[in-house]
Every structure is written in structure tokens, then in C-alpha cells.
Amino acid sequence: MLQTQADGNATFHHRNAALLSVAEVEAPEVLTSKELDRRLADALKRLRLPTGLLQRVAGVKARRNWRADGEVRAATVEAGRKALSAAGVDPSEITVMINTSVTREHLEPSVAVGIHHDLGLPSSAMNFDITNACLGFVNAMTLASTLIDAGQARYALIVNGEDARKVQDATVKRINSLDDNLSRDDFMSEFASLTLGCGAAAAVIGPADAHPEGHRIIGGVTRAATQHHGLCVGDHHGMFTDARGLLDGGLELVMDAWDDAKAHFDWQQMDAYVTHQVSQLHTSSIIKAAKLDKKRVPVTYPELGNVGPASLPITLAREAERLRTGSRVLCMGVGSGLNTAMVEIQW
């Protein structure tokens, strides 16, 4: 059971922050789940597992990949430029840039410094990484909005780029190399790794009073269930997941936050619920538990897979074309560990 706690800073309202733009860059190569089945054919045969599990269980038909090392950084920079252009904000006006990527080639320096340099941002612009698994982008939106509310920042640029190729390749190689030592439990513990995809996204947040055309960031709620920190652990060599435990713990956490937020927000009839794109099972479980209208929950996991922290902003960027002035959007993020955050945006 989740520990009961006072609201503290877990429920928050923003006064003067607006989302000015959100943009994505799609990775160019398509890797279908049928192709992964082909690469894993011998292992699936040994384990007497059917092909098509990724499609039937996770709902992932394909995911996208970069073509070469270094392409993820270039795409993240491109996403940043697209977001700045769409917002009508010059790079010289950015006062803080936050990178939220899980993907990183080295521990030091931060990923942010390379992006800051490539975008030509001013030396006065703070830049740093924050990482919180797949929740990082939503956390950065809240942090940027808080800085703008406090008058410590005027324009914030949030970027994210993910490259899942190394994890994919390492997982396939390891599964195929285990031969008779591979059990069904071993395979299923790495199943989530095969749903990962590549992509990049960026968003610009600025002062609402200077941008009436912007989309007001109203506020939201956060909750943690860190007793589950061992349920999903990953690095470049693979991601190992207790899928059942992660689903159960994550759903309990999300519903705990959802129920607690009712005292502060009315989210039952939003125009769109933009969730982190894990899988068909996770999405349908949240829809059922929260009694959401399935038609208001856009999905990208069938063709993109799980693009980590970039999944939610990519989905929001695609949904933006269908939103109208006054539409209410709830961003619902979850990150392994476990943490969740929900943020309301008035379009």
C-alpha cells in the first residue's frame, strides 16, 4: 500500500506559465515487430512461444530507429529548433534549457551542454539534465513553469532524444546466446526492451501574460511509490522488468494520484488524456481504472513503441493538430522507480 502523506508540494498550481510549442523529430528507420520475431525465431521456438507477442500483448507493431551513432543528438537539436521556431522565440531569449533524455553516451559532461552549444544558446542560459526515467519531460515542464512563475526564467526550452538501438541489439544478442539456459521467465523479463523505440521532442514554455496565444499550464499532482524502485532497471546492456509487478504498482500509484487530485482539479471530462506510451495493456488498464473515454486517449505506441520520456511530448505534438482553443488536456506521465505526475494544460 502507498504511504499516506500530506499534500506538501505534491499538488501544485501555476500562475503565469504557458506551453508555447511542442515539436517532434521522427527517427527514419522502421523496425517492425515481425522483424524482431524473425531475429528471435530460434529462441522463440526453443521456448515454445508463438510469434506476434509484441503485437498481441504490447500492441507494438513497429518502432523507429536512428541510422547511426550521433544522429540522436542532431535530431534533438532539430527538435529544439522546430520548437523555438513554432513558438516565435529566438534562441537568444532562452534563459533555461533542460534535457530530460535517458539516453546518454557518457556520465560527464551533461547531455545538455552539447545541445546548448549546437543550438547557439546564450552563455546566460542555464542548462542541465534532469533524469527520472520516462517521467523526465513532464517533471521538466513543472520545473520550468515554476521558474517562470518565480520570475527566475522567462523562456524555457525542454529537449529529449532517445536512442534504443543498443538496448535492442544487446537484448536480441543475449536472448539468442543463452540457448537452453534461457527460460520463459528470462525472456519475459526482457520483453519490455523489445518495445523501445527512438525519437526526439522539444517544447518551449514562456510567460502566459506575454503570450495570450499560448496554452496555459494550470497545475497538477505528483506522487511516488519508490518501494518499487527495483521493478524496472536498465542500462545500455538491457532493461530487466517485472512486468506484472510494474503494471500493478504503476496502476495503484496513478490511481492514488488521480484520486488525490480530485480535491483540487476536475479531470473526469478532459478533451484529451495524453499518457506515457508504454503498451496496449498499460493504456487500457488506466482507461478502465479511471473510467476515461478511450476516444480521448491518443496513442502512438503501435507505430513508435515506447520512446521513453519523448513518448508523451511526441504524442502531444501529434494531438495538437486536433485541439482547439479552450480544449483541456491532461498529461499523465509515469516513470520506473516508481513516480507519476499529471499536468493540466488549457489549450
Side-chain angles (χ1 to χ4, degrees):
M1 295 295 293
L2 298 178
Q3 292 182 350
T4 302
Q5 63 182 42
D7 277 349
N9 64 357
T11 304
F12 51 90
H13 293 79
H14 293 298
R15 299 188 306 274
N16 191 37
L19 176 69
L20 305 185
S21 66
V22 59
E24 69 153 315
V25 172
E26 188 176 79
E29 291 189 345
V30 177
L31 174 62
T32 66
S33 291
K34 288 183 178 180
E35 172 61 17
L36 281 177
D37 280 346
R38 187 191 67 77
R39 295 181 188 179
L40 293 167
D42 290 343
L44 292 172
K45 184 177 180 180
R46 288 197 309 273
L47 294 173
R48 298 182 180 180
L49 287 171
T51 59
L53 284 175
L54 285 162
Q55 297 96 313
R56 290 197 301 274
V57 176
V60 176
K61 299 177 182 178
R63 73 282 296 136
R64 313 287 296 207
N65 274 345
W66 306 116
R67 291 168 296 203
D69 291 342
E71 195 170 6
V72 63
R73 173 167 158 177
T76 307
V77 172
E78 182 183 350
R81 289 192 176 120
K82 288 177 67 174
L84 288 167
S85 177
V89 174
D90 190 84
S92 65
E93 298 179 277
I94 294 297
T95 47
V96 59
M97 192 211 79
I98 307 171
N99 171 70
T100 67
S101 303
V102 170
T103 296
R104 60 190 59 244
E105 292 302 315
H106 42 69
L107 295 177
E108 288 192 65
S110 70
V111 176
V113 294
I115 309 299
H116 179 281
H117 172 75
D118 290 351
L119 284 171
L121 300 182
S123 61
S124 56
M126 290 187 291
N127 61 96
F128 49 84
D129 295 349
I130 62 169
T131 60
N132 196 12
C134 293
L135 191 58
F137 204 97
V138 180
N139 288 153
M141 289 173 63
T142 299
L143 175 58
S145 298
T146 301
L147 289 171
I148 290 168
D149 282 347
Q152 293 183 318
R154 184 161 178 81
Y155 292 106
L157 174 64
I158 304 168
V159 298
N160 183 274
E162 300 300 334
D163 188 349
R165 292 175 310 137
K166 289 183 179 179
V167 175
Q168 288 171 4
D169 292 344
T171 299
V172 171
K173 182 178 180 180
R174 182 167 45 254
I175 289 174
N176 283 330
S177 68
L178 289 175
D179 297 324
D180 294 335
N181 294 319
L182 178 71
S183 69
R184 285 193 176 195
D185 287 343
D186 293 331
F187 180 87
M188 294 311 298
S189 73
E190 300 205 53
F191 186 77
S193 300
L194 302 175
T195 69
L196 298 177
C198 302
V204 175
I205 296 176
D209 57 6
H211 291 274
E213 80 286 0
H215 315 301
R216 287 293 298 269
I217 300 177
I218 305 300
V221 61
T222 67
R223 284 293 185 271
T226 53
Q227 67 269 29
H228 298 309
H229 66 273
L231 293 181
C232 181
V233 179
D235 56 26
H236 282 306
H237 304 294
M239 186 169 70
F240 302 88
T241 303
D242 176 348
R244 185 74 250 178
L246 196 65
L247 176 62
D248 292 344
L251 188 60
E252 181 185 10
L253 175 64
V254 168
M255 291 313 300
D256 179 70
W258 174 266
D259 291 337
D260 285 351
K262 289 178 180 178
H264 306 272
F265 303 97
D266 177 14
W267 288 339
Q268 198 62 58
Q269 296 298 325
M270 306 296 283
D271 294 288
Y273 298 90
V274 180
T275 66
H276 170 53
Q277 304 291 298
V278 181
S279 71
Q280 177 177 267
L281 181 59
H282 287 77
T283 301
S284 61
S285 296
I286 291 174
I287 289 173
K288 181 179 180 180
K291 298 181 173 61
L292 305 181
D293 182 349
K294 182 179 179 181
K295 295 178 181 178
R296 301 183 184 186
V297 184
V299 296
T300 54
Y301 62 78
E303 65 270 20
L304 299 181
N306 178 354
V307 198
S311 285
L312 191 149
I314 286 174
T315 307
L316 180 59
R318 296 187 177 195
E319 183 66 8
E321 298 178 0
R322 289 182 284 273
L323 297 173
R324 298 291 179 265
T325 300
S327 294
R328 297 176 67 206
V329 180
L330 186 64
C331 296
M332 305 174 69
V334 180
S336 59
L338 283 165
N339 285 290
T340 188
M342 304 177 192
V343 176
E344 178 181 347
I345 302 174
Q346 180 85 44
W347 216 254

